[in-house]
Amino acid sequence: MIIMGVDFGDARTGLAVCDKGEMLASPVGVISEKDFTQCQEKVAAAAKEHRAELLVVGYPKNMNGTVGERAELCQKFGDGLKELTGLPVVMWDERCTTVSAHSYLNVTNTRGKKRKAVVDAVAATIILESYLAYRKNQANAE
């Protein structure tokens, strides 16, 4: 199944997709859009373009596991995507993904404007990889 990972942000939203076999998650871009509704529409268009069958939206819970304003906004974003695309949407705990993305970019020595341009897509890839690992573990447990 082709799954798209989404790291929703106020100014930039990162996107990643996996192959049909759900083995490899790859960044596919960043949508630079500050308008909430237009961002949803652009993500929905990207999902159609990449033939996504499921959307995984980062859900930034607080470190203590509670749901704050940011998570509620992401939930609203995911609900809108479900309505626009007709696809199932999974909200996925994304605590620390941006920190991990910055760590990966440190390893590859990606700096400055280039870093800013890709960090959200890398975060989306981490969200998707985490979800794919969960799916694989669930399948192995059955």
Side-chain angles (χ1 to χ4, degrees), residues 37-92:
T37 305
Q38 286 185 8
C39 187
Q40 283 178 318
E41 290 168 358
K42 288 179 179 181
V43 172
K48 186 175 183 177
E49 176 188 336
H50 291 282
R51 296 186 203 88
E53 300 165 76
L54 172 70
L55 301 174
V56 177
V57 177
Y59 191 58
K61 290 182 179 177
N62 295 323
M63 291 310 278
N64 65 2
T66 60
V67 175
E69 279 182 43
R70 187 76 205 162
E72 288 173 1
L73 186 63
C74 289
Q75 179 71 57
K76 183 179 173 186
F77 189 81
D79 291 345
L81 283 178
K82 186 175 185 174
E83 215 171 281
L84 283 169
T85 63
L87 296 173
V89 173
V90 173
M91 301 306 295
W92 193 250

Side-chain angles (χ1 to χ4, degrees), residues 132-142:
L132 292 175
Y134 166 80
R135 280 175 65 94
K136 189 179 277 190
N137 286 338
Q138 289 299 104
N140 290 340
E142 292 173 359

Side-chain angles (χ1 to χ4, degrees), residues 89-128:
V89 173
V90 173
M91 301 306 295
W92 193 250
D93 187 354
E94 65 157 81
R95 283 178 277 189
C96 301
T97 54
T98 301
V99 173
S100 296
H102 281 289
S103 294
Y104 289 145
L105 294 172
N106 285 341
V107 170
T108 60
N109 202 27
T110 305
R111 304 270 179 236
K113 286 184 180 177
K114 186 171 184 185
R115 182 187 194 103
K116 195 173 182 179
V118 298
V119 69
D120 300 296
V122 172
T125 305
I126 295 167
I127 291 166
L128 183 53

Side-chain angles (χ1 to χ4, degrees), residues 25-45:
S26 304
V28 293
V30 174
I31 293 171
S32 295
E33 181 59 66
K34 292 183 180 182
D35 181 271
F36 187 83
T37 305
Q38 286 185 8
C39 187
Q40 283 178 318
E41 290 168 358
K42 288 179 179 181
V43 172

